[in-house]
Amino acid sequence: MIWDALIACYLFLAGMGAGAFALGAIAGWGKDPAPTMKKVGFIVGPVAVAVGTLLLVVDAHAGLQNPLRFFYLITNLNSVMAWGVIILSVFLVVAVIDLTLLLVKKETPKWLDGIGVALALCVAAYTGVLLGDAGAAFPLWNMAVLPVLFVVSAASTGIAVVALATHLLAPAEVGRVALLKRAGLVLPLVEGALVIVLLAVTAGASGSAAAAGQASVAALVSGPYAVAFWLGFVVLGLALPFALELVRARKGAAAPERSVGADVAHDGSGKTLALVGDAGVLVGGFMLRYLVVMAALPVAFM
């Protein structure tokens, strides 16, 4: 295995940070903005991506250990990792500028927020491209599926971490962002469907990749990573948050005279369900990346 749990932490933090920043920007665009949610997203975004990038540098054995190697890495524009570092760096610059303006002026220009959201999407996609670039050697790291899967998961984890903090700091704001009303029901289904596609494509690999692909899928669904896959990812990361969000949605439908924000603010059980669901999404988001990294087996070229 060329990567381990350290790179899984990078993939998780970068994706979560990108999703958090994007949600923070969106929270400030509506007719009824959510300032606390925006601030949380703008803080979590650059901090998580910066820590994740540091882990990536450490994993590459560059930076402080070998500065020249890191310099040569980012100047080699034929390298996927070089473009990734450039994207991460530009995103961090834009995100820090946005956060500074927010803290000083209490508002940010929409055009700058839009650039940040576009860069956040690139950061989230890159976390899948980084692995997918080696997909020919590791069938599980399929370039056609993995970037899309990681973007969806980045949206889920970014929303979860910002919503979790907002539930604790300013619960009435949660209902102001229309995106959150359906994301908890839609994203787990999309993510689950993409995982099924990834496993099917990997198991169906042909030629020299067939054995490695089938072994990787077997390791996940019935082998050494089965407990982590079914319990940590499927149950805690997908099924539990979806079920809790469905319960909250039905409770809200049963009391139409109360707004979603008021329901979250005043209904203690609803708040508890939301916090548990958000925590489950974060657990599942990390487990997804950890399992994709650790269960991938290389093609045995003869």
Coordinates of all heavy atoms in Angstrom, one line a residue, residues 74-176:
I74 N 5.8 21.1 -7.0 CA 4.8 22.0 -7.5 C 5.2 22.7 -8.8 O 4.4 23.4 -9.4 CB 4.6 23.1 -6.4 CG1 5.9 23.9 -6.1 CG2 4.1 22.4 -5.1 CD1 5.7 25.0 -5.1
T75 N 6.5 22.6 -9.2 CA 6.8 23.1 -10.5 C 6.6 22.1 -11.7 O 6.8 22.5 -12.8 CB 8.3 23.6 -10.5 OG1 9.2 22.5 -10.1 CG2 8.4 24.8 -9.5
N76 N 6.4 20.9 -11.3 CA 6.1 19.9 -12.4 C 4.6 19.9 -12.7 O 3.8 19.1 -12.1 CB 6.6 18.5 -11.9 CG 6.3 17.4 -12.9 OD1 6.1 17.7 -14.1 ND2 6.3 16.2 -12.4
L77 N 4.2 20.7 -13.7 CA 2.8 20.8 -14.0 C 2.3 19.6 -14.7 O 1.1 19.6 -15.1 CB 2.6 22.1 -14.9 CG 3.0 23.4 -14.2 CD1 2.7 24.6 -15.1 CD2 2.3 23.5 -12.8
N78 N 3.1 18.6 -15.0 CA 2.6 17.4 -15.6 C 2.1 16.4 -14.4 O 1.5 15.4 -14.7 CB 3.6 16.7 -16.4 CG 4.0 17.4 -17.7 OD1 3.1 18.0 -18.3 ND2 5.3 17.4 -18.0
S79 N 2.3 16.8 -13.2 CA 1.9 16.0 -12.1 C 0.6 16.4 -11.5 O 0.3 17.6 -11.3 CB 3.0 16.2 -10.9 OG 2.5 15.6 -9.7
V80 N -0.3 15.4 -11.3 CA -1.6 15.7 -10.7 C -1.5 16.3 -9.3 O -2.2 17.2 -8.9 CB -2.4 14.4 -10.6 CG1 -3.7 14.6 -9.8 CG2 -2.8 13.9 -12.0
M81 N -0.5 15.8 -8.5 CA -0.3 16.4 -7.2 C 0.1 17.8 -7.2 O -0.2 18.6 -6.4 CB 0.8 15.5 -6.5 CG 0.9 15.9 -5.0 SD 2.0 14.8 -4.0 CE 0.9 13.4 -3.9
A82 N 0.9 18.2 -8.3 CA 1.3 19.6 -8.4 C 0.1 20.5 -8.6 O 0.0 21.5 -7.9 CB 2.3 19.8 -9.5
W83 N -0.8 20.1 -9.4 CA -2.0 20.9 -9.7 C -2.8 20.9 -8.4 O -3.5 21.9 -8.1 CB -2.8 20.3 -10.8 CG -2.2 20.8 -12.2 CD1 -1.5 20.1 -13.0 CD2 -2.3 22.1 -12.7 NE1 -1.1 20.8 -14.1 CE2 -1.6 22.1 -14.0 CE3 -2.9 23.3 -12.3 CZ2 -1.5 23.2 -14.8 CZ3 -2.8 24.4 -13.1 CH2 -2.1 24.4 -14.3
G84 N -2.8 19.8 -7.7 CA -3.6 19.7 -6.4 C -3.1 20.7 -5.4 O -3.9 21.4 -4.8
V85 N -1.8 20.8 -5.3 CA -1.2 21.7 -4.3 C -1.5 23.2 -4.7 O -1.8 24.0 -3.9 CB 0.3 21.5 -4.2 CG1 1.0 22.6 -3.4 CG2 0.6 20.1 -3.6
I86 N -1.4 23.4 -6.0 CA -1.8 24.8 -6.5 C -3.2 25.1 -6.2 O -3.5 26.2 -5.7 CB -1.5 24.9 -8.0 CG1 0.0 24.8 -8.3 CG2 -2.1 26.2 -8.6 CD1 0.3 24.7 -9.8
I87 N -4.1 24.2 -6.4 CA -5.5 24.4 -6.2 C -5.8 24.7 -4.7 O -6.5 25.6 -4.2 CB -6.4 23.3 -6.7 CG1 -6.4 23.2 -8.2 CG2 -7.8 23.3 -6.1 CD1 -7.0 22.0 -8.8
L88 N -5.1 23.8 -3.8 CA -5.3 24.0 -2.4 C -4.7 25.3 -1.9 O -5.3 26.0 -1.1 CB -4.5 22.8 -1.7 CG -5.1 21.4 -1.8 CD1 -4.1 20.4 -1.4 CD2 -6.4 21.3 -1.0
S89 N -3.6 25.7 -2.5 CA -3.0 27.0 -2.1 C -3.8 28.2 -2.4 O -4.1 29.1 -1.6 CB -1.6 27.1 -2.7 OG -0.7 26.1 -2.3
V90 N -4.4 28.2 -3.7 CA -5.2 29.3 -4.1 C -6.5 29.3 -3.3 O -7.0 30.4 -2.9 CB -5.5 29.2 -5.6 CG1 -6.5 30.3 -6.1 CG2 -4.2 29.3 -6.4
F91 N -7.1 28.2 -3.0 CA -8.3 28.1 -2.2 C -8.0 28.7 -0.9 O -8.8 29.5 -0.3 CB -8.8 26.7 -2.1 CG -9.8 26.6 -1.0 CD1 -11.1 26.9 -1.2 CD2 -9.5 26.1 0.3 CE1 -12.1 26.8 -0.2 CE2 -10.5 26.0 1.3 CZ -11.8 26.4 1.0
L92 N -6.9 28.4 -0.2 CA -6.6 28.9 1.1 C -6.4 30.4 1.1 O -6.9 31.1 2.0 CB -5.3 28.2 1.6 CG -5.5 26.7 2.1 CD1 -4.1 26.1 2.4 CD2 -6.4 26.7 3.3
V93 N -5.8 30.9 0.1 CA -5.6 32.4 0.0 C -7.0 33.1 -0.1 O -7.3 34.0 0.6 CB -4.8 32.7 -1.3 CG1 -4.8 34.3 -1.5 CG2 -3.3 32.3 -1.1
V94 N -7.8 32.6 -1.0 CA -9.2 33.2 -1.2 C -10.0 33.0 0.1 O -10.7 34.0 0.6 CB -9.9 32.5 -2.3 CG1 -11.4 33.0 -2.4 CG2 -9.2 32.9 -3.7
A95 N -9.9 31.8 0.7 CA -10.7 31.6 2.0 C -10.2 32.5 3.1 O -11.1 33.0 3.9 CB -10.6 30.1 2.3
V96 N -8.9 32.7 3.2 CA -8.4 33.5 4.3 C -8.8 35.0 4.1 O -9.2 35.7 5.0 CB -6.9 33.4 4.4 CG1 -6.3 34.4 5.3 CG2 -6.5 32.0 5.0
I97 N -8.7 35.4 2.8 CA -9.2 36.8 2.5 C -10.7 37.0 2.9 O -11.1 38.0 3.5 CB -8.9 37.1 1.0 CG1 -7.4 37.2 0.8 CG2 -9.6 38.4 0.6 CD1 -7.1 37.3 -0.7
D98 N -11.5 36.0 2.5 CA -12.9 36.1 2.7 C -13.2 36.1 4.2 O -14.0 36.9 4.7 CB -13.6 34.8 2.1 CG -14.7 35.2 1.2 OD1 -15.1 36.4 1.1 OD2 -15.2 34.3 0.4
L99 N -12.5 35.2 5.0 CA -12.6 35.2 6.4 C -12.2 36.5 7.1 O -12.9 37.0 8.0 CB -11.9 34.1 7.0 CG -11.9 33.9 8.6 CD1 -13.3 33.8 9.1 CD2 -11.0 32.8 9.0
T100 N -11.1 37.1 6.6 CA -10.6 38.4 7.2 C -11.6 39.5 6.9 O -12.0 40.3 7.8 CB -9.3 38.7 6.5 OG1 -8.3 37.7 6.8 CG2 -8.8 40.0 7.1
L101 N -12.2 39.5 5.7 CA -13.2 40.5 5.4 C -14.4 40.3 6.3 O -15.0 41.3 6.7 CB -13.6 40.5 3.9 CG -12.5 40.9 2.9 CD1 -13.0 40.7 1.5 CD2 -12.2 42.4 3.1
L102 N -14.8 39.1 6.5 CA -16.0 38.8 7.3 C -15.8 39.3 8.7 O -16.7 39.9 9.3 CB -16.3 37.3 7.3 CG -17.5 36.9 8.0 CD1 -18.8 37.4 7.4 CD2 -17.6 35.3 8.1
L103 N -14.6 39.0 9.3 CA -14.3 39.4 10.6 C -14.2 40.9 10.8 O -14.6 41.5 11.9 CB -13.1 38.7 11.1 CG -13.2 37.2 11.2 CD1 -11.8 36.6 11.7 CD2 -14.3 36.7 12.2
V104 N -13.7 41.6 9.8 CA -13.4 43.0 9.9 C -14.6 43.8 9.5 O -15.0 44.8 10.2 CB -12.2 43.4 9.1 CG1 -12.0 44.9 9.0 CG2 -10.9 42.7 9.6
K105 N -15.2 43.5 8.3 CA -16.3 44.3 7.8 C -17.6 43.7 8.0 O -18.6 44.3 7.6 CB -16.0 44.5 6.3 CG -14.8 45.3 5.9 CD -14.7 45.6 4.4 CE -13.5 46.5 4.1 NZ -13.4 46.9 2.7
K106 N -17.7 42.5 8.5 CA -19.0 41.8 8.7 C -19.7 41.4 7.5 O -20.8 41.0 7.5 CB -19.9 42.6 9.6 CG -19.3 43.1 10.9 CD -18.7 42.0 11.8 CE -18.1 42.6 13.1 NZ -17.5 41.5 13.9
E107 N -19.1 41.5 6.3 CA -19.7 41.1 5.1 C -18.6 40.8 4.0 O -17.4 41.3 4.2 CB -20.6 42.1 4.5 CG -20.0 43.5 4.2 CD -20.9 44.5 3.7 OE1 -22.2 44.3 3.8 OE2 -20.5 45.5 3.1
T108 N -18.9 40.0 3.1 CA -17.9 39.7 2.0 C -18.6 39.8 0.6 O -19.8 39.7 0.5 CB -17.5 38.2 2.1 OG1 -18.7 37.3 2.1 CG2 -16.8 38.0 3.5
P109 N -17.8 40.2 -0.4 CA -18.4 40.4 -1.7 C -18.8 39.0 -2.3 O -18.1 38.0 -2.2 CB -17.3 41.0 -2.5 CG -16.0 40.6 -1.8 CD -16.4 40.6 -0.3
K110 N -20.0 39.0 -2.9 CA -20.5 37.7 -3.5 C -19.6 37.1 -4.5 O -19.5 35.9 -4.7 CB -21.9 37.9 -4.0 CG -23.0 38.1 -2.9 CD -24.4 38.1 -3.5 CE -25.4 38.2 -2.4 NZ -26.8 38.2 -3.0
W111 N -18.9 38.0 -5.3 CA -18.1 37.5 -6.4 C -16.9 36.7 -5.8 O -16.4 35.7 -6.3 CB -17.6 38.6 -7.3 CG -16.7 39.7 -6.6 CD1 -17.1 40.8 -6.0 CD2 -15.3 39.6 -6.4 NE1 -16.0 41.5 -5.5 CE2 -14.9 40.8 -5.7 CE3 -14.3 38.7 -6.8 CZ2 -13.6 41.0 -5.4 CZ3 -13.0 38.9 -6.4 CH2 -12.6 40.1 -5.8
L112 N -16.4 37.2 -4.6 CA -15.3 36.5 -4.0 C -15.8 35.2 -3.4 O -15.1 34.2 -3.4 CB -14.6 37.4 -2.9 CG -13.4 36.9 -2.2 CD1 -12.3 36.7 -3.3 CD2 -12.9 37.8 -1.1
D113 N -16.9 35.3 -2.8 CA -17.5 34.0 -2.2 C -17.7 33.0 -3.4 O -17.5 31.8 -3.2 CB -18.9 34.3 -1.6 CG -18.8 35.1 -0.3 OD1 -17.7 35.3 0.2 OD2 -19.8 35.6 0.2
G114 N -18.2 33.5 -4.5 CA -18.4 32.6 -5.7 C -17.1 31.9 -6.1 O -17.0 30.7 -6.4
I115 N -16.0 32.7 -6.2 CA -14.7 32.1 -6.5 C -14.3 31.1 -5.5 O -13.8 30.0 -5.9 CB -13.6 33.3 -6.6 CG1 -13.9 34.2 -7.8 CG2 -12.2 32.7 -6.7 CD1 -13.0 35.4 -7.9
G116 N -14.5 31.4 -4.2 CA -14.2 30.4 -3.2 C -15.0 29.1 -3.3 O -14.4 28.1 -3.1
V117 N -16.3 29.2 -3.6 CA -17.1 28.0 -3.8 C -16.6 27.2 -5.0 O -16.5 26.0 -4.9 CB -18.6 28.4 -4.0 CG1 -19.4 27.2 -4.4 CG2 -19.1 29.0 -2.8
A118 N -16.2 27.9 -6.1 CA -15.7 27.2 -7.3 C -14.4 26.4 -6.9 O -14.2 25.3 -7.3 CB -15.5 28.1 -8.4
L119 N -13.5 27.1 -6.2 CA -12.3 26.5 -5.7 C -12.5 25.4 -4.7 O -11.8 24.4 -4.8 CB -11.4 27.6 -5.1 CG -10.7 28.6 -6.1 CD1 -10.1 29.7 -5.3 CD2 -9.7 27.9 -7.0
A120 N -13.5 25.5 -3.9 CA -13.9 24.5 -2.9 C -14.3 23.2 -3.7 O -14.0 22.1 -3.3 CB -15.0 25.0 -2.0
L121 N -15.1 23.4 -4.8 CA -15.5 22.3 -5.6 C -14.3 21.6 -6.2 O -14.2 20.3 -6.2 CB -16.4 22.7 -6.7 CG -16.9 21.7 -7.6 CD1 -17.7 20.6 -6.9 CD2 -17.8 22.3 -8.7
C122 N -13.3 22.4 -6.6 CA -12.1 21.8 -7.2 C -11.3 21.0 -6.1 O -10.7 20.0 -6.4 CB -11.2 22.9 -7.8 SG -11.9 23.7 -9.2
V123 N -11.2 21.6 -4.9 CA -10.5 20.9 -3.8 C -11.2 19.6 -3.5 O -10.5 18.5 -3.4 CB -10.5 21.8 -2.5 CG1 -10.0 21.0 -1.3 CG2 -9.6 23.0 -2.8
A124 N -12.5 19.6 -3.4 CA -13.2 18.3 -3.1 C -13.0 17.3 -4.2 O -12.8 16.1 -3.9 CB -14.7 18.6 -2.9
A125 N -13.1 17.7 -5.5 CA -12.9 16.8 -6.6 C -11.4 16.3 -6.6 O -11.2 15.1 -6.9 CB -13.2 17.5 -7.9
Y126 N -10.5 17.1 -6.3 CA -9.1 16.7 -6.3 C -8.8 15.6 -5.3 O -7.9 14.7 -5.6 CB -8.2 17.9 -6.0 CG -6.7 17.5 -5.8 CD1 -6.0 17.0 -6.8 CD2 -6.1 17.6 -4.5 CE1 -4.7 16.6 -6.7 CE2 -4.8 17.2 -4.3 CZ -4.1 16.7 -5.4 OH -2.8 16.3 -5.2
T127 N -9.5 15.6 -4.2 CA -9.3 14.5 -3.2 C -9.6 13.1 -3.9 O -9.0 12.1 -3.5 CB -10.1 14.7 -2.0 OG1 -11.5 14.7 -2.3 CG2 -9.8 16.0 -1.3
G128 N -10.5 13.1 -4.8 CA -10.7 11.8 -5.5 C -9.8 11.6 -6.7 O -9.4 10.5 -7.0
V129 N -9.4 12.7 -7.4 CA -8.5 12.6 -8.5 C -7.1 12.2 -8.0 O -6.4 11.4 -8.8 CB -8.4 14.0 -9.2 CG1 -7.3 14.0 -10.3 CG2 -9.7 14.4 -9.8
L130 N -6.7 12.6 -6.8 CA -5.4 12.2 -6.3 C -5.3 10.7 -6.3 O -4.2 10.1 -6.7 CB -5.2 12.8 -4.9 CG -3.9 12.4 -4.2 CD1 -2.7 12.9 -5.0 CD2 -3.9 12.9 -2.8
L131 N -6.3 10.0 -5.8 CA -6.3 8.5 -5.8 C -6.6 8.0 -7.2 O -5.9 7.0 -7.6 CB -7.4 8.0 -4.8 CG -7.2 8.4 -3.4 CD1 -8.3 7.7 -2.5 CD2 -5.8 7.9 -2.8
G132 N -7.5 8.6 -7.9 CA -7.9 8.1 -9.2 C -6.8 8.1 -10.2 O -6.8 7.4 -11.2
D133 N -5.8 9.0 -10.0 CA -4.7 9.1 -10.9 C -3.9 7.8 -10.9 O -3.2 7.5 -11.9 CB -3.8 10.3 -10.5 CG -2.6 10.5 -11.5 OD1 -2.9 10.6 -12.7 OD2 -1.5 10.6 -11.1
A134 N -4.0 7.1 -9.8 CA -3.3 5.8 -9.7 C -4.3 4.6 -10.0 O -4.0 3.5 -9.6 CB -2.6 5.6 -8.3
G135 N -5.4 4.9 -10.5 CA -6.5 4.0 -10.7 C -6.1 2.8 -11.5 O -6.7 1.7 -11.3
A136 N -5.2 2.9 -12.5 CA -4.8 1.8 -13.3 C -4.1 0.7 -12.5 O -4.2 -0.5 -12.8 CB -3.9 2.3 -14.5
A137 N -3.4 1.1 -11.5 CA -2.7 0.2 -10.6 C -3.6 -0.3 -9.5 O -3.4 -1.4 -8.9 CB -1.5 0.8 -10.1
F138 N -4.6 0.5 -9.1 CA -5.5 0.1 -8.0 C -7.0 0.3 -8.5 O -7.5 1.4 -8.6 CB -5.3 1.1 -6.8 CG -4.0 0.9 -6.2 CD1 -2.9 1.6 -6.7 CD2 -3.8 0.1 -5.0 CE1 -1.6 1.5 -6.1 CE2 -2.6 0.0 -4.4 CZ -1.5 0.7 -4.9
P139 N -7.6 -0.8 -8.9 CA -8.9 -0.8 -9.5 C -10.0 -0.1 -8.6 O -10.9 0.5 -9.2 CB -9.3 -2.3 -9.7 CG -8.0 -2.9 -9.8 CD -7.1 -2.2 -8.9
L140 N -9.8 -0.1 -7.3 CA -10.8 0.5 -6.4 C -10.8 2.1 -6.6 O -11.8 2.7 -6.3 CB -10.5 0.2 -5.0 CG -11.6 0.6 -3.9 CD1 -13.0 0.1 -4.2 CD2 -11.1 0.2 -2.5
W141 N -9.6 2.6 -7.0 CA -9.5 4.0 -7.2 C -9.9 4.4 -8.6 O -9.1 4.9 -9.4 CB -8.1 4.5 -6.9 CG -7.7 4.2 -5.5 CD1 -8.5 3.9 -4.4 CD2 -6.3 4.2 -4.9 NE1 -7.7 3.7 -3.3 CE2 -6.4 3.9 -3.6 CE3 -5.1 4.4 -5.5 CZ2 -5.3 3.8 -2.7 CZ3 -4.0 4.4 -4.7 CH2 -4.1 4.0 -3.3
N142 N -11.2 4.2 -8.9 CA -11.7 4.5 -10.2 C -11.8 5.9 -10.5 O -12.6 6.6 -9.8 CB -13.0 3.7 -10.4 CG -13.5 3.8 -11.8 OD1 -14.1 4.8 -12.2 ND2 -13.3 2.7 -12.6
M143 N -11.2 6.4 -11.5 CA -11.2 7.9 -11.8 C -12.6 8.4 -12.2 O -12.9 9.5 -12.0 CB -10.2 8.2 -12.9 CG -10.1 9.7 -13.3 SD -9.4 10.7 -12.0 CE -7.7 10.6 -12.5
A144 N -13.4 7.5 -12.8 CA -14.7 7.9 -13.3 C -15.7 8.1 -12.1 O -16.7 8.9 -12.2 CB -15.3 6.9 -14.3
V145 N -15.5 7.4 -11.0 CA -16.5 7.4 -9.9 C -16.0 8.1 -8.7 O -16.7 8.9 -8.1 CB -16.9 5.9 -9.6 CG1 -17.9 5.9 -8.4 CG2 -17.3 5.2 -10.8
L146 N -14.7 7.9 -8.4 CA -14.2 8.4 -7.1 C -14.3 9.9 -6.9 O -14.7 10.4 -5.8 CB -12.8 7.9 -6.9 CG -12.3 7.7 -5.5 CD1 -13.2 6.8 -4.7 CD2 -10.9 7.2 -5.4
P147 N -13.9 10.7 -7.9 CA -14.0 12.2 -7.7 C -15.4 12.6 -7.4 O -15.7 13.5 -6.6 CB -13.5 12.8 -9.0 CG -12.6 11.7 -9.5 CD -13.2 10.4 -9.2
V148 N -16.4 12.0 -8.1 CA -17.8 12.4 -7.9 C -18.3 12.0 -6.5 O -18.9 12.7 -5.8 CB -18.7 11.8 -9.0 CG1 -20.2 12.1 -8.8 CG2 -18.3 12.2 -10.4
L149 N -17.9 10.8 -6.1 CA -18.2 10.3 -4.8 C -17.6 11.2 -3.7 O -18.3 11.5 -2.7 CB -17.7 8.8 -4.6 CG -17.8 8.2 -3.2 CD1 -19.3 8.2 -2.8 CD2 -17.2 6.8 -3.2
F150 N -16.4 11.6 -3.9 CA -15.8 12.4 -2.8 C -16.4 13.8 -2.8 O -16.4 14.4 -1.7 CB -14.3 12.4 -3.1 CG -13.5 11.2 -2.5 CD1 -14.2 10.1 -2.0 CD2 -12.1 11.2 -2.4 CE1 -13.6 9.0 -1.5 CE2 -11.5 10.1 -1.9 CZ -12.2 9.0 -1.4
V151 N -16.8 14.3 -3.9 CA -17.5 15.6 -3.9 C -18.8 15.5 -3.2 O -19.1 16.4 -2.3 CB -17.7 16.1 -5.4 CG1 -18.7 17.3 -5.4 CG2 -16.4 16.5 -6.1
V152 N -19.6 14.5 -3.4 CA -20.8 14.3 -2.7 C -20.6 14.1 -1.2 O -21.2 14.7 -0.3 CB -21.6 13.1 -3.2 CG1 -22.8 12.8 -2.4 CG2 -22.0 13.3 -4.7
S153 N -19.5 13.3 -0.8 CA -19.2 13.1 0.6 C -18.7 14.4 1.2 O -18.9 14.7 2.4 CB -18.2 12.0 0.7 OG -17.8 11.8 2.0
A154 N -17.9 15.2 0.4 CA -17.5 16.5 0.9 C -18.6 17.4 1.3 O -18.6 18.1 2.3 CB -16.6 17.2 -0.1
A155 N -19.7 17.4 0.4 CA -20.8 18.2 0.7 C -21.5 17.7 2.0 O -21.9 18.5 2.8 CB -21.8 18.1 -0.5
S156 N -21.6 16.4 2.1 CA -22.3 15.8 3.3 C -21.5 16.2 4.6 O -22.1 16.7 5.6 CB -22.4 14.3 3.2 OG -23.2 13.9 2.1
T157 N -20.2 16.0 4.6 CA -19.4 16.2 5.8 C -19.3 17.7 6.1 O -19.3 18.1 7.2 CB -18.0 15.6 5.7 OG1 -17.4 16.1 4.5 CG2 -18.1 14.1 5.7
G158 N -19.2 18.5 5.0 CA -19.1 20.0 5.2 C -20.4 20.5 5.8 O -20.4 21.3 6.8
I159 N -21.5 20.1 5.3 CA -22.8 20.5 5.9 C -22.9 20.0 7.3 O -23.4 20.7 8.2 CB -24.0 19.9 5.0 CG1 -24.0 20.6 3.7 CG2 -25.3 20.0 5.7 CD1 -25.0 20.0 2.7
A160 N -22.5 18.7 7.6 CA -22.6 18.2 8.9 C -21.9 18.9 9.9 O -22.4 19.3 11.0 CB -22.2 16.7 8.9
V161 N -20.6 19.3 9.6 CA -19.8 20.0 10.7 C -20.3 21.4 10.9 O -20.3 21.8 12.1 CB -18.3 20.0 10.2 CG1 -18.0 20.9 9.0 CG2 -17.4 20.4 11.4
V162 N -20.7 22.1 9.9 CA -21.2 23.4 10.0 C -22.6 23.4 10.8 O -22.9 24.2 11.7 CB -21.4 24.1 8.7 CG1 -22.1 25.5 8.8 CG2 -20.0 24.3 8.1
A163 N -23.5 22.5 10.4 CA -24.8 22.3 11.0 C -24.6 22.0 12.5 O -25.4 22.5 13.3 CB -25.6 21.3 10.3
L164 N -23.7 21.1 12.8 CA -23.5 20.6 14.1 C -23.1 21.8 15.0 O -23.7 22.0 16.1 CB -22.4 19.6 14.2 CG -22.2 18.8 15.5 CD1 -21.7 17.4 15.3 CD2 -21.3 19.5 16.5
A165 N -22.1 22.6 14.5 CA -21.7 23.8 15.3 C -22.8 24.8 15.4 O -23.0 25.5 16.5 CB -20.5 24.4 14.6
T166 N -23.6 25.0 14.3 CA -24.7 26.0 14.3 C -25.8 25.6 15.3 O -26.4 26.4 15.9 CB -25.2 26.2 12.9 OG1 -24.1 26.5 12.0 CG2 -26.2 27.4 12.9
H167 N -26.1 24.3 15.3 CA -27.1 23.8 16.3 C -26.7 24.2 17.7 O -27.6 24.4 18.5 CB -27.2 22.3 16.2 CG -28.2 21.8 15.1 ND1 -27.8 21.1 14.0 CD2 -29.5 22.0 15.0 CE1 -28.8 20.8 13.2 NE2 -29.9 21.3 13.8
L168 N -25.4 24.2 18.0 CA -25.0 24.5 19.4 C -24.9 26.0 19.6 O -25.1 26.5 20.7 CB -23.6 23.9 19.6 CG -23.5 22.3 19.5 CD1 -22.1 21.8 19.7 CD2 -24.4 21.7 20.6
L169 N -24.5 26.8 18.6 CA -24.3 28.2 18.7 C -25.5 29.1 18.4 O -25.8 30.0 19.1 CB -23.1 28.6 17.9 CG -21.8 28.0 18.1 CD1 -20.7 28.4 17.1 CD2 -21.3 28.4 19.5
A170 N -26.2 28.7 17.4 CA -27.4 29.5 17.0 C -28.4 28.6 16.3 O -28.5 28.7 15.1 CB -26.9 30.7 16.0
P171 N -29.1 27.8 17.0 CA -30.0 26.8 16.4 C -31.0 27.3 15.5 O -31.5 26.7 14.6 CB -30.5 26.0 17.7 CG -30.3 27.0 18.8 CD -29.1 27.7 18.5
A172 N -31.5 28.6 15.8 CA -32.6 29.1 15.0 C -32.1 29.4 13.6 O -33.0 29.5 12.7 CB -33.1 30.4 15.6
E173 N -30.8 29.5 13.3 CA -30.4 29.7 12.0 C -30.4 28.5 11.0 O -30.4 28.7 9.8 CB -28.9 30.2 12.0 CG -28.8 31.6 12.6 CD -27.4 32.2 12.4 OE1 -26.6 31.5 11.6 OE2 -27.0 33.2 13.0
V174 N -30.5 27.3 11.6 CA -30.4 26.1 10.8 C -31.5 26.1 9.7 O -31.3 25.7 8.6 CB -30.4 24.9 11.7 CG1 -30.4 23.6 10.8 CG2 -29.3 24.9 12.6
G175 N -32.7 26.5 10.1 CA -33.8 26.5 9.2 C -33.8 27.5 8.1 O -34.7 27.6 7.2
R176 N -32.9 28.5 8.2 CA -32.8 29.6 7.2 C -32.2 29.2 5.9 O -32.4 29.9 4.9 CB -32.1 30.8 7.8 CG -32.7 31.3 9.0 CD -31.9 32.5 9.5 NE -32.3 33.0 10.8 CZ -31.7 33.9 11.5 NH1 -30.6 34.5 11.1 NH2 -32.3 34.3 12.7

